[in-house]
Amino acid sequence: PAAGKAGGAAGAAGGEGGKKRKRKAKSKKWKKPKVNTYVYVEGLPTDTNEKEVAEFFTKFGVLRCDDATGKPLVKLYRDEGGQLK
């Protein structure tokens, strides 16, 4: 019986040597939105304008606005004749 107590004490001492790591507190800050959030669309009708595209895509989320004009940041690529590419 005495040997059992000595073995138990040694086992307890060995268990105290390992220290637990503390968890880092998660930051509750908002993540920065991605800057590269471009969408490329093909096959638009030739009479489409920036306003129509902006109205359509606002149904699905918030569009970035141009700092200078305050309008939604939409760009339609056109050739020399003014037709959509």
Side-chain angles (χ1 to χ4, degrees):
K5 289 182 180 179
E16 292 177 10
K19 294 182 180 178
K20 292 183 179 180
R21 293 183 183 182
K22 293 183 179 179
R23 289 186 180 183
K24 291 183 179 179
K26 290 186 178 182
S27 176
K28 294 187 178 186
K29 295 181 181 177
W30 287 90
K31 292 183 180 181
K32 291 183 180 179
K34 288 185 176 183
V35 175
N36 185 10
T37 55
Y38 303 112
V39 176
Y40 295 91
V41 181
E42 291 182 349
L44 293 174
T46 56
D47 62 342
T48 304
N49 60 26
E50 287 84 356
K51 184 178 178 183
E52 291 174 338
V53 174
E55 286 176 3
F56 179 79
F57 279 102
T58 54
K59 296 176 187 176
F60 305 103
V62 178
L63 299 179
R64 277 188 16 200
C65 290
D66 186 13
D67 293 334
T69 62
K71 294 180 180 179
L73 202 56
V74 175
K75 183 173 183 177
L76 299 178
Y77 293 96
R78 299 182 185 274
D79 60 10
E80 294 81 21
Q83 297 297 319
L84 290 174
K85 289 187 176 182

